[in-house]
Amino acid sequence: MTTPQHPSFPPRRPGRGPHAEEGDGRTVGHVPVDAHGTRDGRHEADHGHGAGDGHGAGGGHGHSHGHGPAAPVSRHLRKVIAAILIPFAAAVVVGLAVLWPGGAPPHERTGVGFDRQTQQATVTKVVELSCQSVNASGGTPTGDTSTAEGSSAVQQAEGECKRATIRVDTGDDKGRTFDEIVQPDQSRQLHEGQKVVVAYEPSAPKDLQYSVTDINRRLPLALLAGIFALAVVVVGRLRGLMALVSLAISFLLLNFFILPAILQGSNPLVVAVIGSSAIMLIALYLCHGLSARTSVAVLGTLISLLLIGVLGSLFIGWAALTGNTDDNTGLIHGLYPSIDMSGLLLAGVIIGSLGVLDDVTVTQTSAVWELHEANPTMGWRGLYRAGIRIGRDHIASVVNTLVLAYAGAALPLLLLFSIAQSGVGTVANSELVAEEIVRTLVGSIGLVASVPVTTALAALVVSADRPAQGQGTAAGAGAGASARGGRGRRRKR
């Protein structure tokens, strides 16, 4: 509040002195200003809104509030935060240096799944012909044609097939062509000029060394990525650009540290904790700046990640989840038997939760900072209550988002269980679904816990230095806040 003698945003009128219109700090609350632009010996820079601008009495224009952090904390609290985060960051750097793999270990290709030699190719010609002329079994199929197998056999015997000629565009056999028969019931039909991916098996007969395995989707994916990057930069501007840079760094850490280190035999949980911590520090500070507010979000994210790691380790072990549930994990285990597959599952839970955690902690911290700026007289309990009310809405939306994301990823699996008419208990008890349940619930518990933890940290930090903000009364604080709001410029966070 402001006193009647000193309105929070005084109009220009005679009697206030020649420097009142310039926002001279000496006119606000009668707080003495010395020759260095300080109040009672404390620099205005510590408060982020120095009216005198540090240029001496009467000479400033009151614009330094546009260059300091919003609702700054005391130097003592900054030292406390630094004492926690600097050793943590140093430990992350040491962990990166010790566990840095230097590349994935070599192995002989099995020719199975993703472990195949592939090249780029182009479909140069497609000719239709009778399936009877190319299929080995020339007889008319018999049996139940209402089944998928019977219907497929009929189509292969009586339908129209295609002979596609494919040209290899990369590798040692560049320019070589081969033919492939496309059955009428295949989901992937080829057409002339189409870009495809072909697998190469050197030990096979020459006519069978190459086969089409997939469609080349690089162009549409690259175009979509370009549209995404453009939208982020246009809307987010510098923040958006920094977000893209942090995203690129995250992918680099994932591809050059996390994945190769796990393949080298390092503990997947330790690798995931160090890698996700490095991603968290880089992404948050790069996107939101080196400030106390970002540091609080980092602390909240770190505590929540630790909770997710503990709960995940406990329930993955208790539920006896092996992490080896499909062809891909089976292939990984076959190629690298030393990898702890259950630890790999836990590493996936931690890394998968990190992105949503960043969103929650940054949002809650920003909410508390804005509440404090709107009402500087509010204590930490009031800030916490107001912030947690915002957080409850955030919890509802984020948990729903996480559950639906996992359900969407597992939709084909859920459809199979629905077709089999399995009961809910049977479906949930299967390891495939149990993994997703544990992944979803552990991540959701960490997200829910991050709201009160981050809100409490932010409320404590942002309100802890209120007694040090000048011997000022509530009137002086209100006047300063209103004057800052009236300048028409928004300060940096």
Side-chain angles (χ1 to χ4, degrees), residues 8 56 69 77 84 97 108 132 150 169 305 372-373 378 458 485 487:
S8 61
L77 280 175
I84 298 173
E108 293 186 6
Q132 281 187 339
D169 295 333
L305 279 179
H372 175 74
E373 195 167 342
M378 188 183 296
R487 287 292 176 186

Side-chain angles (χ1 to χ4, degrees), residues 101-191:
H107 71 276
E108 293 186 6
R109 292 184 179 272
T110 63
V112 179
F114 291 105
D115 194 36
R116 292 180 289 185
Q117 299 183 43
T118 58
Q119 302 293 344
Q120 306 302 314
T122 304
V123 179
T124 59
K125 186 179 179 181
V126 177
V127 177
E128 291 188 355
L129 69 166
S130 170
C131 289
Q132 281 187 339
S133 63
V134 295
N135 289 332
S137 57
T140 303
T142 59
D144 186 6
T145 57
S146 64
T147 64
E149 293 81 2
S151 176
S152 176
V154 170
Q155 290 186 53
Q156 291 181 18
E158 302 177 354
E160 290 292 324
C161 294
K162 296 178 181 178
R163 177 187 285 118
T165 302
I166 294 100
R167 182 188 68 239
V168 180
D169 295 333
T170 59
D172 296 335
D173 291 332
K174 182 178 181 180
R176 176 179 169 180
T177 61
F178 67 95
D179 291 339
E180 179 154 320
I181 301 301
V182 181
Q183 301 292 341
D185 59 335
Q186 285 185 209
S187 59
R188 181 175 59 240
Q189 297 292 313
L190 302 179
H191 57 81

Side-chain angles (χ1 to χ4, degrees), residues 27 49 80 109 129 193 209 239 247 276 360 388 397 470:
T27 66
H49 56 269
V80 171
R109 292 184 179 272
L129 69 166
Q209 286 181 337
R239 287 284 182 90
L247 180 62
S276 59
V360 173
I388 206 68
S397 60

Side-chain angles (χ1 to χ4, degrees), residues 364-444:
Q364 285 304 115
T365 306
S366 298
V368 172
W369 243 263
E370 293 297 334
L371 288 167
H372 175 74
E373 195 167 342
N375 185 3
T377 63
M378 188 183 296
W380 81 267
R381 287 185 179 85
L383 287 171
Y384 176 80
R385 293 191 189 101
I388 206 68
R389 285 195 294 270
I390 298 173
R392 290 190 185 108
D393 292 334
H394 207 179
I395 287 173
S397 60
V398 167
V399 169
N400 195 44
T401 300
L402 192 64
V403 171
L404 290 179
Y406 284 128
L411 198 56
L413 177 64
L414 297 177
L415 280 174
L416 289 177
F417 281 110
S418 179
I419 293 171
Q421 298 182 353
S422 301
V424 175
T426 303
V427 172
N429 190 68
S430 66
E431 186 170 2
L432 274 171
V433 177
E435 279 188 6
E436 299 303 324
I437 292 175
V438 171
R439 194 194 312 269
T440 302
L441 296 183
V442 167
S444 298

